[in-house]
Structure formats: C-alpha cells, structure tokens
Amino acid sequence: MGDTVRFTLSERDIPTHWVNLMADLPPGGPPPLHPGTLQPAGPDDLAAIFPMALIEQEVSTEPLIEIPEPVRDAYRLWRPTPLHRARRLEQALDTPAHIYYKYEGTSPAGSHKPNTAVPQAYENAVAGVRRLTTETGAGQWGSSLAFACMLFGLECEVWMVGSSYDQKPYRRSMIQTWGATVHRSPSDRTAAGRAQAHHTTGSLGIAISEAVEVAAQSPDTNYALGSVLNHVLLHQTVIGQEALAQMEMAGEYPDTVIACVGGGSNFGGLTFPFLRRNIRDGATTRFIAAEPAACPTLTRGVYAYDFGDTAGLTPLMPMYTLGHDFVPPPVHAGGLRYHGDSPLVCALVKQGLVEARAYRQNETFDAAIRFARSEGVIPAPEPAHAIRAVIQEAEAAREAGEERVILFGLCGHGHFDLSAYDAYLAGSLEDPEFSEADRDAALAGLPKAPALT
Amino acid sequence: MGDTVRFTLSERDIPTHWVNLMADLPPGGPPPLHPGTLQPAGPDDLAAIFPMALIEQEVSTEPLIEIPEPVRDAYRLWRPTPLHRARRLEQALDTPAHIYYKYEGTSPAGSHKPNTAVPQAYENAVAGVRRLTTETGAGQWGSSLAFACMLFGLECEVWMVGSSYDQKPYRRSMIQTWGATVHRSPSDRTAAGRAQAHHTTGSLGIAISEAVEVAAQSPDTNYALGSVLNHVLLHQTVIGQEALAQMEMAGEYPDTVIACVGGGSNFGGLTFPFLRRNIRDGATTRFIAAEPAACPTLTRGVYAYDFGDTAGLTPLMPMYTLGHDFVPPPVHAGGLRYHGDSPLVCALVKQGLVEARAYRQNETFDAAIRFARSEGVIPAPEPAHAIRAVIQEAEAAREAGEERVILFGLCGHGHFDLSAYDAYLAGSLEDPEFSEADRDAALAGLPKAPALT
C-alpha cells in the first residue's frame, strides 16, 4: 500500500472548542447597525428571534468557545468527517503539489450545514423555545435544520422558495422525513407572504421575511439562519479544527487553503482555525475564497453597509455587496447565490488576509468532473468552485516545480445535483455572465449609512 | 459524553482477506448446471464473459482469499466504513437491546455496490480486457461499475432498463459523470435488443441479454454482474470483516445479524464472516434475511434449479425461486426485486442456518422513518426491510427483558429515493400484495432439471 490517503479521527477526537476569529481580527470589524437608528445593533436588537446563548456567541471576543456536550454528542452521529489526500487527482494533474480535502458529504443531510443547525437547535431547546422557523432555497439549509430540530424535540417550520418547492421536491421530502413542516413561499400564513401573493415563483428574500415574521410574533418561536452571521461561522469551525488535527496526522501543514464562499459559513468553517495560526503564530498560509463569476460579491462588489436580506429587514451589515436588490442568474450552485457575504469573511478580504477569485459555471463543472473521475466522489456544484481553484493552484505548483501543500473543503456531495451534471455533459448547461449594469442598478439602492473605508 | 457510538477504523485496518463461505458450507451446495447439457457448469462455461481470476474465486474452496493490493488501495477512497451504535433508536424503541449498524452509504456511489465493482474491474484490467458491459435497473449497480472502471482505465457500457432510463435520470447522470456509456434497453445495438424493440419499457432480463451478448461476441469485452454469484458475495465480505473488528472495539458480539436480501450480496457481505464463526467456532448468532413481501423469494419460493435471468441464458442455479418469468410488483426497493437469490444464501436458508422474513412496503417505510427520526441517516428502501426486522427483534428483546445485541446492514442512503418517501408521507404509497397465482404460473415455466432436496 502506498502512503496514507485517508486520515480518520475517532469520536473521542471531536473538537472540544470552536474557534472565534472575532477575537483575532485586527483591528476588529466595523459593527452591524440598526437599520432605523444607524447606531450599532446590540444584543437586544436580536433577542426577539435568537436565544441569548447564540447572541453571546455572535458578539463574543473569547478566542475559543467550548462546544456543549449535547452538541458534541449529536456530532457523533456523523463526525469526525474524513480528510483525504487526493493522490489520484495529483497524478491526473501531474502536479508535485500535495492536495488534501476535508469531506463533509457524509453527514445525514449530505453537506456541512448540520454543523451549525445542531448547536442552534440545542441552544434554542435549552432556552425553552418550542419551535424554529427558517427559509430555504433548494433545501440544503431547511433539511439540515429539520434534522437538528428532530434531535432536540423542537418543531420546525420551513418556508421554501416557491420555484424550488415545485421543481426540487427531493430536499422538501427530506425536510418532511425528519418531521418538519414545509410551506411554499409566498404563503398565506404571513403578512409578508400575503403581500407578495402575486409573486408566483417566490424568492429567498420573501421566504426570509415570512420566517422572521412568524418568529418575531410568537413568544415560543425563534428563527435560525444558515450562514453569514458570526455564530454560524463559529459553529462551522469544527471542520477546520478537525482538519488541523488530520493535517498533523499527515505530517504536513497547508501552504494554501481553499473553500467556496456563498454566505461564508463553509469558508469560515474550514479556514478560521488556520487563519488564527497566521494571525497568532506567524504561519504564512494563503487563503483563497472561490465564488461564482455570475454572483461575484467579493471580486466585483463594493465594501459598504447593506441589508442582509432582499426585503431590508435585517441590521445593516458591513460587507462586500452587489446590492440587496441584485438577483443573481440561476446558477446551479444555489448556496453561492447571495448578494453579500459574511461580514467576518469580507473584513478578511478587505484586509488582504484572504484572496477572492470568481469562476464561470462551466469551468467549475469541468473541474468537478475531473475530480469525480479521479477521486470518485461527485461534488456538489458549490465546492466545484473550490476544486476549480485547486486545479489552478496545482498547475501553478507544477510550473514552479514546487511541492506545495493545498487543502480544500469538499462541503457536500452532488447526489441532489445530477440534473446539472446531465446538462453539462450534454453541452446544454448555461454559462451566465455577470451583469455590471444589474449590479450598478442594485448598488443605487444601497441604504444610507456611514461609508466604510 | 456517553458510551461510544461510532467505531472508526483507519485505512491500515482495511481487511487483507475476503471470507469465502463456500469452504465452510456443509455439505457444499449443489453445483450450477449448464442449461443445455444439464451437467455441472465448469470454469470453461464462464470464460467467454469472465476473467479466469474471478472464475477461480467463483469456484474456490479456500476459506480466505487475499484482497489484491490495488483493490485495497481503491477501497481506501471510502473504506473502512463506520459502524454505529444506534443509541437514539434504542431509546426511541425503549428496548434493552443494543443495536449496531454498519453504514455503506458513505461510498462515492452511496451504496455497498462498489465493494465488488472495484475487484471485478481490477481483475478484468489485469487480464487485458478493454471494456466491461453490464445491465442496470435504477442504476445502483451501473453507476458503481462505471466508478470502478474509471479507476482502472476500462471502458464501461451499461444497458439501463428503458423505464428507469426515462424516469430516473439521476443515476444515469452518475454513470456518465464517471465516464461510462449508457444505452436505453432495448437498444438497436444487439440482436436481443432488436428482437424486443416493441417492448417499450424494457426489463432487467432484456438488459442482461444485451450486455451478455456484447461481451460474449467481443474478445476484448467482458461482462460484470452485481450480485448472486459466489465471487460477488465474496467481495462484499469486506463489510462483515470490518464489522467483526468494529464489534470487537465495541466489546460486544452480535446475538442477531440482520440484512436485506435481493440477489444476496449485501446479506452475504455482512453475514458470512459471522456465519463462519458459527460454523467453525461454535458461535450461536442468529441470522435474519429480510425481503419484500411483494417479491418473497426465500419465504414463498420453491427450492429448485432455475435460470438466473429472465431470458433463460445463464447456467441453471440451485436456489429459491418464484420462477424466472415472475415479474415482481414495482416496489421502490428495486434492488430486492429478483425472482431468485444467491445459491449460497439459498443453501443457508435451506439448511436452517439463516431465517428469512418478508415485509410489506409500507411497514418498511414506517421503519425507515423511525430510523431517520432517531439516527439521522435516511435509509434507502432496501435496507428499510432490515430495519423493519430490527425493530421487531428489539421489541422482542424488550418483552423478554433481555439485553440482546443486534447488528444490521445499512447498505445505502436514500438520497435517490426521496420521491418514495414523499409518497409514503402523503399516504399515497402503494402497498402491493404478492400474487400466488403469478408465482404458480411462473413456476410452471421452470426448466427441466434434477429435483433438489
């Protein structure tokens, strides 16, 4: 047998702490603002829809936050996840680079999303909350929250974007299999939904408004968000914490860490424990955030205060944004179709600690198929963006003749996305371009707020 | 943290040997017969479509067969697979039983099928074969063989049952993603297909005939089968070999081992290493084979020589059969819709070493949802039959007040089967009954051959 290619931790090795990069971010990011007063939004502004334990995590400056025992106990249902060395991909690329990937597709939901759904459900259950609401597009987040609520005995109601509800019934069925309720959005259950009843296909913005409205109006009901916020990224650092230990088993340390970015939770989850080593210990790892060229928030957006949602209900967040009215073209990487990004990830890009790159849909599917034909796993369209960047870096290592160590996040399998593969292989997959005019129109609608430098 | 629930082996622990139960089967099963001469079919009868290395495995009486190093190397892409203790299911059932499951859904194809696809592709590549052909129904086997052929540089052509080709495009896309070719069966590429061109929906029998015809006529092309044959079950014993080591880690030994049975490869793969301990070492484990009540081969079939395929091309095999003309109702557990069963598994049932039970479709989905709502993983419809039996056994342990140890095989995830869950949850899932009249009509067509006792 050749060198080790699969680095396996036992359940005893599930990390005891999440990494809170807020503690290390120089000089500390700008605060979110209340949309009415433009004053920094405080814990009280969030208390109507989040439990205090999560709000404390959201604003904490402790560098490490202990993972509650019941959360670790639930993680044991699928964690630790494997870390692989992609030897067959290295050979196919004829590169001296050593390529590693952390694979999150073995979770019950098939992606990394349960890593935060579980602690969110747990903290709400501890706080005596009876029910959680959320929105979902294609259903990755909604199904993961349904799974987590099932574990802690919470009811779960999911508003699913109408067009996905009609066209992508599979993750809707997952949500129901785990005992949660799914509403087609816009629904007649909320004022926000009734006001948009004419909007037949729905949108993520409308679905968010419906879920938040129900949570804000019901004392026993809270809301849960699947990305963007600090506490969500915090929970996902269980990925990078495990990867640190597994790279140590491999006897290597990454020169480059790569992950795709939509709202930022997958990217932050893998990279923050390594970024912390750069900031604290003088490590010199490079970090690459891969995003879709059709929704190039980090590479073609502006750094400004903007709403997190389309409807303009959330606090104003300091981030790269294409404008909250920007409607990305319908690329298959639904998890990356977001006008903004996690403020934490945006601050890292702004400060030059993270490099962002954008890739076209067709080149990411080409990369995904090269990966599937060497390593076996068929990737979801989102991590296909990371793989595109990995191939670029591996080719650069070959040209430089350098044995660079590359680690990337394979955040989910593509078993729900095979129709997109079908279209790509048939040559009929669209390759939408970014519209600067659409961005400029959306940026004209930015809320009035202090400028960011 | 409570007791361990997840038993993880490292890649160093991938078994070195498969278990060949042929060596232990008292008094040795009856031989397969050549369909023309009715004489025992020998290695030469198989040489036109299988490489000699696999034929030797098919007829070997060595108790252990070494796993070739390149096969172990490919297994490392996803093996060893985890063994879990289902503590949350135990609690939900309020049972003193300890329930363990071996989970094969983490493979690139999402099921146990790659365990044999890999060594079959390897031995054909070593023999200088350029191309493999096979048939597939819903696509589980065809996609696994495509994956394995990709690893060893073989071409792969899959004849897919027409109705599945049209209605279940997802696994067809997997096959193509891994670089193989899919033909809708009946196709115009074979005499067998052209003769059935009027048969618009196709059948597994026609697809087998097409794949075998191409392999038999092309010197550089062989055929690969995904279940039933001894060498296929042999390869799958990597599952049970790992489970033996993992049960040892857990400090327990199973009183009962349960798996679903279609062609027998999943059942044999998990149980044979434990059955060997019964036969050789006096262990007293019970073995339960779970099959669909709509296709109750082991519980309602006759023990007789019959063809393995619908078209009547294969050697006559000694097995429980419903008659090779029997067409099972369209239950969602497509992998269990087979008129016969592995001769090896049938001999074990005949000799009383294995108990068979049949379950209705709706009760298996009820069991699957109880499992998903406690342990998280959404099972494929096939292992849902095993879970139904597990619940029955766990309830019996509760009534007896005994701390029995139950191990079962969770051979695949249900991410491709969510439409069936959708139908079950909506109350619209059909629950087809077995037709004795259909069986009797099919049994009237059994080939002339010596009677079995």
Side-chain angles (χ1 to χ4, degrees):
Chain A
M1 192 177 294
D3 295 346
T4 306
V5 300
R6 194 153 177 269
F7 301 91
T8 321
L9 299 168
S10 85
E11 68 173 42
R12 289 183 306 280
D13 305 315
I14 290 175
T16 55
H17 291 78
W18 292 304
V19 168
N20 179 25
L21 204 70
M22 289 285 280
D24 294 288
L25 194 65
L33 302 182
H34 189 284
T37 65
L38 296 188
Q39 296 303 304
D44 290 350
D45 296 315
L46 302 168
I49 58 171
F50 294 120
M52 198 46 68
L54 294 180
I55 295 172
E56 284 168 7
Q57 292 174 2
E58 182 68 21
V59 300
S60 170
T61 54
E62 288 296 314
L64 293 170
I65 293 180
E66 191 169 2
I67 305 178
E69 202 49 50
V71 171
R72 294 185 75 218
D73 191 54
Y75 278 169
R76 296 192 295 162
L77 289 171
W78 78 96
R79 304 206 70 85
T81 60
L83 180 123
H84 295 258
R85 173 138 177 221
R87 273 204 173 275
R88 290 165 195 263
L89 179 64
E90 292 168 16
Q91 284 158 13
L93 296 173
D94 188 24
T95 178
H98 294 191
I99 302 173
Y100 293 85
Y101 63 96
K102 178 72 170 164
Y103 182 41
E104 293 290 308
T106 57
S107 82
S111 78
H112 67 296
K113 290 287 183 191
N115 295 331
T116 184
V118 164
Q120 290 194 52
Y122 167 71
E123 293 295 359
N124 276 287
V126 167
V129 168
R130 187 183 61 81
R131 179 174 63 157
L132 287 182
T133 65
T134 198
E135 75 290 339
T136 200
Q140 300 189 31
W141 169 241
S143 60
S144 297
L145 191 68
F147 160 71
C149 285
M150 173 273 288
L151 293 177
F152 295 103
L154 294 177
E155 288 180 31
C156 180
E157 286 194 49
V158 181
W159 274 262
M160 189 168 185
V161 175
S163 55
S164 294
Y165 184 96
D166 299 334
Q167 294 162 19
K168 300 192 173 180
Y170 285 170
R171 282 215 188 82
R172 185 184 79 204
S173 304
M174 285 180 92
I175 295 170
Q176 292 169 327
T177 295
W178 281 318
T181 306
V182 193
H183 305 295
R184 189 185 187 286
S185 173
S187 77
D188 59 5
R189 296 175 168 260
T190 66
R194 286 187 294 271
Q196 301 285 338
H198 59 284
H199 198 312
T200 52
T201 59
S203 75
L204 209 51
I206 299 169
I208 293 175
S209 304
E210 293 201 84
V212 169
E213 178 183 322
V214 170
Q217 292 178 355
S218 319
D220 62 353
T221 302
N222 270 343
Y223 169 76
L225 193 66
S227 192
V228 178
L229 297 178
N230 298 341
H231 70 273
V232 180
L233 275 63
L234 173 80
H235 300 153
Q236 292 290 358
T237 62
V238 68
I239 302 172
Q241 290 281 71
E242 288 179 8
L244 265 177
Q246 288 163 311
M247 290 302 302
E248 201 166 316
M249 290 169 75
E252 303 210 274
Y253 193 83
D255 298 306
T256 308
V257 181
I258 299 173
C260 63
V261 182
S265 77
N266 167 61
F267 181 85
L270 177 64
T271 62
F272 284 3
F274 292 93
L275 263 159
R276 183 167 186 259
R277 296 242 174 138
N278 270 31
I279 295 169
R280 295 210 163 201
D281 308 328
T284 57
T285 300
R286 293 165 61 226
F287 298 91
I288 299 174
E291 65 180 11
C295 186
T297 312
L298 296 172
T299 52
R300 310 283 292 274
V302 300
Y303 191 59
Y305 274 111
D306 197 3
F307 295 112
D309 65 326
T310 315
L313 297 174
T314 71
L316 297 180
M317 296 193 294
M319 59 184 179
Y320 284 94
T321 178
L322 300 164
H324 62 276
D325 291 330
F326 181 79
V327 179
V331 292
H332 287 277
L336 309 185
R337 292 180 66 234
Y338 183 55
H339 69 274
D341 256 327
S342 147
L344 211 39
V345 171
C346 292
L348 292 164
V349 171
K350 181 73 181 164
Q351 294 174 19
L353 292 166
V354 167
E355 177 190 343
R357 293 188 196 161
Y359 297 103
R360 298 287 293 264
Q361 174 155 280
N362 272 281
E363 62 181 331
T364 64
F365 272 88
D366 174 75
I369 285 175
R370 290 170 79 173
F371 184 82
R373 290 187 182 172
S374 50
E375 294 294 316
V377 173
I378 298 176
E382 290 85 357
H385 291 72
I387 297 170
R388 179 68 194 87
V390 167
I391 292 176
Q392 212 171 34
E393 289 297 302
E395 288 171 347
R398 184 181 61 208
E399 279 157 34
E402 288 180 12
E403 199 180 84
R404 296 177 190 158
V405 178
I406 302 169
L407 166 66
F408 78 96
L410 186 57
C411 54
H413 68 58
H415 291 178
F416 295 108
D417 306 283
L418 288 164
S419 61
Y421 278 90
D422 206 29
Y424 177 76
L425 290 165
S428 61
L429 187 67
E430 63 283 11
D431 200 20
E433 294 205 44
F434 170 61
S435 162
E436 291 199 347
D438 285 357
R439 175 198 59 188
D440 293 345
L443 290 178
L446 282 185
K448 291 199 194 316
L452 294 172
T453 52
Chain B
M1 191 177 293
D3 295 344
T4 306
V5 300
R6 193 153 178 269
F7 301 90
T8 321
L9 299 169
S10 84
E11 67 172 44
R12 289 183 306 280
D13 306 316
I14 290 176
T16 55
H17 291 77
W18 292 304
V19 169
N20 179 26
L21 204 71
M22 289 285 281
D24 294 286
L25 193 65
L33 303 182
H34 188 284
T37 65
L38 295 187
Q39 296 303 305
D44 291 349
D45 295 315
L46 302 169
I49 57 171
F50 293 120
M52 198 45 67
L54 294 180
I55 295 171
E56 284 168 7
Q57 292 174 3
E58 183 68 23
V59 299
S60 170
T61 54
E62 289 297 313
L64 293 170
I65 293 180
E66 190 169 2
I67 305 177
E69 202 49 52
V71 171
R72 296 185 74 217
D73 191 54
Y75 278 168
R76 296 193 295 162
L77 289 171
W78 77 97
R79 303 206 71 86
T81 60
L83 180 123
H84 295 257
R85 173 137 177 222
R87 274 205 173 275
R88 290 165 194 262
L89 178 64
E90 293 168 15
Q91 284 159 14
L93 296 173
D94 189 25
T95 177
H98 293 190
I99 302 173
Y100 293 85
Y101 63 96
K102 177 73 170 163
Y103 182 41
E104 293 290 308
T106 57
S107 82
S111 80
H112 67 295
K113 290 288 182 189
N115 295 332
T116 183
V118 164
Q120 289 195 54
Y122 167 72
E123 293 295 0
N124 276 286
V126 167
V129 168
R130 188 182 60 81
R131 178 175 64 159
L132 286 182
T133 64
T134 198
E135 75 290 339
T136 200
Q140 299 189 32
W141 169 242
S143 59
S144 296
L145 191 66
F147 160 71
C149 285
M150 172 273 289
L151 293 178
F152 295 104
L154 294 177
E155 288 181 32
C156 179
E157 286 193 48
V158 181
W159 273 262
M160 189 168 186
V161 175
S163 55
S164 295
Y165 185 95
D166 299 336
Q167 294 162 20
K168 300 192 173 180
Y170 286 170
R171 283 213 187 84
R172 185 184 77 203
S173 305
M174 286 181 90
I175 295 170
Q176 293 168 325
T177 295
W178 280 319
T181 306
V182 193
H183 306 294
R184 188 186 188 285
S185 173
S187 76
D188 59 5
R189 296 175 167 262
T190 66
R194 286 187 294 271
Q196 300 285 337
H198 60 284
H199 199 310
T200 53
T201 60
S203 75
L204 210 51
I206 300 169
I208 293 175
S209 304
E210 294 203 84
V212 170
E213 178 184 322
V214 169
Q217 292 179 352
S218 319
D220 62 353
T221 302
N222 270 342
Y223 169 77
L225 193 67
S227 192
V228 178
L229 297 179
N230 298 340
H231 70 274
V232 180
L233 275 64
L234 173 80
H235 301 153
Q236 292 290 356
T237 62
V238 68
I239 302 172
Q241 290 281 72
E242 288 179 8
L244 265 177
Q246 288 164 310
M247 289 302 302
E248 201 166 315
M249 288 170 75
E252 303 211 274
Y253 193 84
D255 299 306
T256 308
V257 181
I258 300 173
C260 63
V261 182
S265 78
N266 167 63
F267 181 84
L270 177 64
T271 62
F272 284 3
F274 292 94
L275 262 158
R276 184 164 185 259
R277 295 244 176 135
N278 269 32
I279 296 170
R280 295 211 163 199
D281 308 329
T284 57
T285 301
R286 293 165 60 227
F287 298 91
I288 300 174
E291 64 180 11
C295 186
T297 312
L298 296 173
T299 52
R300 310 284 291 276
V302 300
Y303 191 60
Y305 273 111
D306 197 3
F307 295 111
D309 64 327
T310 315
L313 298 175
T314 71
L316 297 179
M317 295 193 296
M319 58 184 179
Y320 284 95
T321 177
L322 300 164
H324 62 276
D325 292 331
F326 181 80
V327 179
V331 292
H332 286 276
L336 308 185
R337 291 180 67 234
Y338 183 56
H339 69 274
D341 256 328
S342 147
L344 212 38
V345 171
C346 291
L348 293 164
V349 171
K350 182 72 181 167
Q351 293 174 20
L353 293 166
V354 168
E355 177 190 344
R357 294 188 196 161
Y359 297 103
R360 297 288 290 264
Q361 175 155 279
N362 272 281
E363 62 182 330
T364 65
F365 272 87
D366 176 73
I369 285 174
R370 289 170 80 173
F371 184 82
R373 289 188 181 171
S374 50
E375 294 295 316
V377 173
I378 298 176
E382 290 86 355
H385 290 71
I387 297 169
R388 180 67 194 87
V390 167
I391 292 175
Q392 212 172 33
E393 290 297 301
E395 287 170 347
R398 184 181 62 210
E399 278 157 35
E402 289 179 10
E403 199 180 84
R404 297 176 190 159
V405 178
I406 301 169
L407 166 66
F408 78 96
L410 185 56
C411 54
H413 68 58
H415 292 179
F416 296 107
D417 306 284
L418 288 163
S419 62
Y421 279 89
D422 206 30
Y424 177 76
L425 291 164
S428 61
L429 187 68
E430 63 282 12
D431 201 20
E433 294 205 45
F434 170 62
S435 161
E436 292 198 348
D438 287 355
R439 175 198 59 187
D440 293 345
L443 289 178
L446 281 184
K448 291 199 193 315
L452 294 172
T453 51

